[in-house]
Amino acid sequence: MVITIDGPSGVGKSTVTRRVAAARGVDYLDTGSMYRAATVAALRAGVPLDDPVAVTDVIERSDIRYVDGVILLNGEDVSDDVRTDEVTGAVSAVSAIPAVRHRLVEFQRAWVTERGGNAVVEGRDIGTVVFPDAPAKIFLTARPEVRSARRAGDAEAANLSAETIETKMRERDRQDSTRAVSPLAAADDAIIIDTSDLSLGEVVESVLEVVAHARC
Ligand code: DC
């Protein structure tokens, strides 16, 4: 069964995804790290990020893979490189390019097929576009102040003031939610869980409950 976990940043998606995958004994795919690796490739190539043709050309020549929780760009482990503030600031522009999304979505579907259709996949458009027929769809939310406080604990947010974190987070959400192709959105049949006042364990429990009641 494919379990989709979507939502904006700072809702605890990554940690919840890993826990749910462990509880189910299946692999997880962090699709955000793929868009981040695409951004690293574009930045390294030095192409203007507002030039979709140039960015797409770089991505089409790049080998982006996700293996055992590690994101690889042309065979290099870029797990740390994808978490820099520079990449976080640039990723929304790269992920808004339709051809980039098309290529990465193909990879995401093939990755799940290789695992017999059993996986937990996290992102922004997984329940709406990548796996619209998934039987268990979760959309995580949290109040803005809770989300920015959580972001403050992330590596790429180190050295940034609380105000800067909140401003950057809101801007990235705005870009991710308003782009023309596959914007951040809850699928009509997704179960929405507000994580603001829940512990990590409680969120994981809620997700597993949704999964237990899912049609297979
Ligand atoms: O989850 P994250 O913060 O690592 O995601 C990084 C960016 O990638 C996010 O700003 C939007 C984009 N993204 C996307 O467009 N579609 C996805 N399925 C996952 C992430």
Side-chain angles (χ1 to χ4, degrees), residues 2-194:
V2 182
I3 301 165
T4 68
I5 302 187
D6 288 300
S9 58
V11 290
K13 268 194 324 284
S14 296
T15 317
V16 170
T17 296
R18 284 165 175 70
R19 290 275 195 102
V20 169
R24 302 279 305 174
V26 299
D27 288 343
Y28 63 86
L29 176 60
D30 170 6
T31 62
S33 72
M34 300 182 67
Y35 289 98
R36 286 171 178 274
T39 305
V40 170
L43 289 171
R44 284 185 182 175
V47 293
L49 300 185
D50 58 358
D51 181 343
V53 175
V55 174
T56 302
D57 183 54
V58 171
I59 306 312
E60 282 178 352
R61 285 184 285 109
S62 303
D63 181 29
I64 296 171
R65 287 173 199 264
Y66 191 81
V67 183
D68 297 333
V70 174
I71 183 74
L72 302 171
L73 172 62
N74 301 325
E76 177 193 342
D77 179 349
V78 288
S79 305
D80 291 336
D81 307 66
V82 299
R83 297 282 149 206
T84 64
D85 190 40
E86 185 189 16
V87 171
T88 301
V91 64
S92 289
V94 172
S95 60
I97 300 173
V100 170
R101 302 200 70 81
H102 182 76
R103 188 172 166 89
L104 295 185
V105 167
E106 267 183 2
F107 175 94
Q108 291 156 15
R109 290 184 179 141
W111 187 96
V112 167
T113 301
E114 279 165 25
R115 284 156 183 80
N118 293 307
V120 185
V121 186
E122 65 147 300
R124 302 291 191 287
D125 62 336
I126 311 304
T128 50
V129 173
V130 187
F131 294 106
D133 298 327
K137 298 182 186 177
I138 318 292
F139 192 88
L140 300 181
T141 62
R143 291 191 298 274
E145 69 274 16
V146 173
R147 293 174 44 218
S148 39
R150 288 180 184 157
R151 291 294 296 167
D154 290 352
E156 75 248 36
N159 308 321
L160 300 180
S161 70
E163 201 186 347
T164 305
I165 292 169
E166 182 150 357
T167 306
K168 287 183 176 217
M169 197 186 75
R170 282 183 193 275
E171 176 52 21
R172 189 148 68 100
D173 285 351
R174 191 193 61 74
Q175 291 186 40
D176 293 344
S177 307
T178 56
R179 67 178 175 227
V181 183
S182 310
L184 163 68
D188 289 342
D189 53 349
I191 304 293
I192 298 175
I193 300 173
D194 186 336

